[in-house]
Amino acid sequence: EVQLVESGGGLVQAGGSLGLSCAASGFTFDDYAIGWFRQAPGKEREAVSFISSADGDTYYEDSVKGRFTISSDDAKHTVYLQMNRLKPEDTAVYYCAAVQDKYSTTWPTRPDEYDYWGQGTQVTVSS
């Protein structure tokens, strides 16, 4: 059974930090790349960050550059998103998603490009 399980969300004050984890199982991790998305109430799901399985390159949406860091522990089949200097506008449900993308070095940013999704974890940043 394919599973992507996010953890680490919560409530934090503006300027604070949170670390999200995405634990993958049930598929060949090396054949897939992981992206993080978020969805705020009333808004579309947006791509936040991505790590390429081909070359390890990382990608970030402009508003999170310099504040968020994506990383991967291939041995643990887990991808992380460290979020620093959080802002109220970062409040959303955060999802990790997997795309079969073993050789690509580009960032797929449309949700429909992804094959598997986690259940999401709520991140709330208070002002």
Side-chain angles (χ1 to χ4, degrees), residues 15-91:
S17 298
L18 281 175
L20 305 183
S21 299
C22 172
S25 62
F27 59 93
T28 304
F29 188 76
D30 290 347
D31 290 345
Y32 287 75
I34 303 293
W36 285 96
F37 286 76
R38 66 185 179 187
Q39 188 166 20
K43 294 189 175 182
E44 293 187 351
R45 192 167 298 190
E46 66 170 350
V48 175
S49 186
F50 177 79
I51 184 163
S52 169
S53 60
D55 57 12
D57 278 356
T58 57
Y59 303 82
Y60 300 95
E61 190 267 332
D62 284 348
S63 70
V64 308
K65 282 180 183 175
R67 301 188 297 122
F68 290 12
T69 302
I70 190 170
S71 61
S72 178
D73 185 333
D74 292 349
K76 294 184 177 180
H77 294 181
T78 300
V79 173
Y80 306 94
L81 186 68
Q82 179 62 37
M83 306 184 294
N84 298 328
R85 304 201 310 275
L86 283 160
K87 305 175 181 180
E89 51 264 44
D90 294 318
T91 295

